[in-house]
Amino acid sequence: MPIIKSLIEDTWNAIKDVINGALDVIMGVIKSFSSLLTGDWEGLWDGIKQTLSGAVELIWGILQLGFLGKILKVVKGFGDDAWKFIKDMVDKMKTKFDEVVSAASTKFNDLKDKILTPIQSAKDTIKGIVDQIKGFFSGLKLEIPSIKLPK
């Protein structure tokens, strides 16, 4: 964060220098012409100095903005590369995680089949035996004899 804060402050100061320089140039030119028209030679000299110092400040601000623009371009390039690296790493991790989940699911399903297949086979065998016993007794008609009880 301190680097970003410093870049923002430097950029803002460069923008202020450009604006102040431009305003000093404009105000210096106005002061020079007004002093020239009124015959105020000291004011004319002050206007020329203000114009020149404003021009220097304007040029310095533009140079700083250009330099900061190059720095920001480098930072942006680094940020883009870092973002791409992180995204690739996350994609690889996701792929590996999916592979692990798929392998675990396959192993679990195999284990489940190995446990449930014999149980299902035993269940089917017992059901078959019970069905045979029921089938044997289904055709029989049993009547319980009535036994005469003594009185």
Side-chain angles (χ1 to χ4, degrees):
M1 283 308 276
I3 293 172
I4 294 172
K5 180 183 175 190
S6 175
L7 282 173
I8 291 172
E9 287 175 351
D10 290 345
T11 303
W12 180 249
N13 288 334
I15 291 170
K16 285 190 332 188
D17 287 345
V18 169
I19 293 171
N20 287 335
L23 289 175
D24 282 347
V25 167
I26 293 169
M27 294 302 292
V29 169
I30 292 172
K31 189 175 196 180
S32 295
F33 280 117
S34 66
S35 297
L36 181 64
L37 293 176
T38 59
D40 180 14
W41 304 114
E42 192 175 321
L44 177 63
W45 179 244
D46 288 340
I48 291 171
K49 287 192 303 186
Q50 186 177 3
T51 302
L52 292 176
S53 70
V56 169
E57 189 176 8
L58 175 69
I59 291 170
W60 178 248
I62 290 172
L63 288 175
Q64 283 182 322
L65 280 177
F67 180 69
L68 288 173
K70 289 179 184 176
I71 290 174
L72 290 175
K73 196 180 291 185
V74 169
V75 169
K76 182 183 179 290
F78 174 74
D80 289 344
D81 290 344
W83 177 252
K84 182 180 175 188
F85 175 75
I86 290 170
K87 186 176 181 292
D88 289 344
M89 188 171 57
V90 168
D91 288 344
K92 287 177 184 176
M93 288 173 55
K94 182 178 180 248
T95 301
K96 287 294 181 187
F97 182 75
D98 289 344
E99 289 173 3
V100 168
V101 167
S102 176
S105 176
T106 301
K107 294 291 182 184
F108 179 76
N109 287 335
D110 290 345
L111 181 63
K112 180 183 80 168
D113 289 344
K114 287 180 181 178
I115 292 172
L116 291 181
T117 300
I119 293 173
Q120 186 66 36
S121 176
K123 178 183 157 190
D124 291 343
T125 302
I126 292 172
K127 184 177 185 297
I129 292 171
V130 169
D131 286 345
Q132 283 179 351
I133 292 171
K134 281 174 43 180
F136 177 75
F137 285 109
S138 68
L140 290 177
K141 293 203 177 211
L142 294 175
E143 290 185 25
I144 300 177
S146 72
I147 300 174
K148 296 208 177 207
L149 295 173
K151 290 191 183 182

